[in-house]
Amino acid sequence: MVGFRELFQNAGGIPLNIFVRFGSDNRWHFHKCLEVGYCAAGNGELSVQGKNYPLEKGTLFLVNPYVVHSIQNQTADFAMTLMQMDFQSYEPLCPGITNLDFHNVISGGLSPERRQTLFRFISAIVFEVSNQYSGYLLRTDSLLRALAQFLVDFLTVEARQARGPRSAESDRIKHLIEHIDVHYNEDWSLDELADMVGLNSQYLSRLFKLSVGLPLTKYINSVRVKKSLPDLLDSKKTIAQIASQHGFQTVKSYYTAFSEVYDLPPGKYKRWQRDMQREKKRLRPVENDRQLNELFDDLFSYLEHSDMRFFGGYGLSRLGEKAGARQA
């Protein structure tokens, strides 16, 4: 089941989008803003800069601006909360903040104290926007500013300078990614792709790998592999037909690319998916606010024994009231 529910979108001038996604979007993509995700249910996988990270209930992850990534579910009940924060408006308050990179994958790489503080910030913001008590915009703005300061103080990796794409270069990479997503099964040369975005072929190769974390050829093959999945899983086409229709010159090249992406050859992957489907339980729709809050119970647990005033959210004191009301 794939679904989507928006919780917050740039309300009150706050540079923040929050939504809940059920299922996943396998497309490779990037954002011009910082994205923080929380796995609220099920299991999935985050692919970023050539590496795969398992997502399970309670996992928090962060993806920097302009970093290409994809997220896929491995169980039918997979659900996640995604926060997208555009710090451009904070540039006058913290010069250089839009050029900072932060730790990409959070849960396993922080001290317990910093990890808990980060979880509390995220849970406090999600609590405010999902319940919308009186004054929640003021509290959300306060929390987001405090979270930005926490990230700058404790989670900064380094400033993004020549390492990552910016301005015109980022637009060229974005245009190329969008073109590949639509025309992935066509046959191109590196020179043709370079001409399309107005760059030297050698420079494009270096820039693309720097931006995406994968060589351009491997990226194209990974897109072709992921686009081939519906045919592999749901059709009676042969492997040779699937490989040809999705841009591969030979069956061997399809097998090689597929194994690089999924660590299994196509046939074994198909059998594994079928076995997993037998064990899946369908995710029940989130029909009302009570079910939505049940989805967040694990996340909100980070607030139950904390000093709410420290996080700037007096409305959070109602967390206990709401928990009691749900039990009633």
Side-chain angles (χ1 to χ4, degrees), residues 22-263:
F22 310 98
S24 61
D25 185 350
N26 291 334
R27 295 177 305 155
W28 290 94
H29 64 284
F30 67 85
H31 311 282
K32 293 184 178 181
C33 55
L34 184 70
E35 182 173 69
V36 176
Y38 176 80
C39 182
N43 297 89
E45 184 177 71
L46 168 69
S47 299
V48 55
Q49 293 186 315
K51 296 182 180 179
N52 297 324
Y53 300 92
L55 301 177
E56 59 186 14
K57 182 177 174 64
T59 302
L60 190 70
F61 62 91
L62 185 152
V63 179
N64 282 294
Y66 300 97
V67 172
V68 176
H69 59 284
S70 68
I71 301 172
Q72 64 178 18
N73 59 305
Q74 295 179 332
T75 60
D77 61 343
F78 182 61
M80 56 186 169
T81 304
L82 294 170
M83 296 175 51
Q84 297 171 349
M85 300 172 281
D86 186 359
F87 289 150
Q88 185 68 44
S89 62
Y90 292 169
E91 190 71 25
L93 300 175
C94 182
I97 189 171
T98 54
N99 287 326
L100 295 178
D101 273 352
F102 306 100
H103 290 278
N104 256 331
V105 179
I106 294 296
S107 291
L110 296 179
S111 68
E113 296 79 10
R114 290 178 182 174
R115 180 178 179 274
Q116 187 173 53
T117 299
L118 182 61
F119 269 78
R120 285 177 174 175
F121 271 124
I122 301 303
S123 59
I125 292 172
V126 172
F127 180 84
E128 290 291 1
V129 302
S130 62
N131 290 287
Q132 299 188 7
Y133 292 128
S134 176
Y136 81 97
L137 288 177
L138 286 171
R139 293 189 296 273
T140 300
D141 184 52
S142 174
L143 287 162
L144 185 62
R145 289 170 184 262
L147 172 58
Q149 188 63 59
F150 174 80
L151 292 172
V152 169
D153 288 346
F154 299 111
L155 298 186
T156 302
V157 178
E158 56 185 310
R160 191 185 317 112
Q161 298 175 354
R163 300 180 304 100
R166 302 298 291 174
S167 61
E169 289 184 345
S170 68
D171 289 339
R172 287 188 174 97
I173 295 297
K174 179 183 177 182
H175 176 64
L176 182 58
I177 289 171
E178 291 173 344
H179 181 81
I180 291 170
D181 189 64
V182 176
H183 304 282
Y184 66 93
N185 58 351
E186 297 179 6
D187 187 23
W188 315 286
S189 69
L190 178 59
D191 287 337
E192 288 173 334
L193 293 176
D195 287 343
M196 186 180 68
V197 295
L199 294 174
N200 174 275
S201 59
Q202 292 183 343
Y203 181 68
L204 173 62
S205 295
R206 292 195 302 270
L207 179 64
F208 194 91
K209 186 173 182 180
L210 190 67
S211 307
V212 178
L214 288 173
L216 180 55
T217 301
K218 282 195 173 183
Y219 174 80
I220 293 172
N221 283 339
S222 72
V223 173
R224 289 170 171 168
V225 164
K226 292 182 180 183
K227 294 282 191 178
S228 75
L229 286 181
D231 281 339
L232 177 67
L233 299 176
D234 300 325
S235 76
K236 296 182 179 179
K237 295 177 182 177
T238 66
I239 297 294
Q241 290 173 324
I242 294 171
S244 176
Q245 291 175 8
H246 290 85
F248 291 96
Q249 298 299 313
T250 64
V251 171
K252 182 179 178 180
S253 63
Y254 178 61
Y255 268 79
T256 299
F258 198 101
S259 298
E260 286 180 350
V261 175
Y262 291 108
D263 293 323

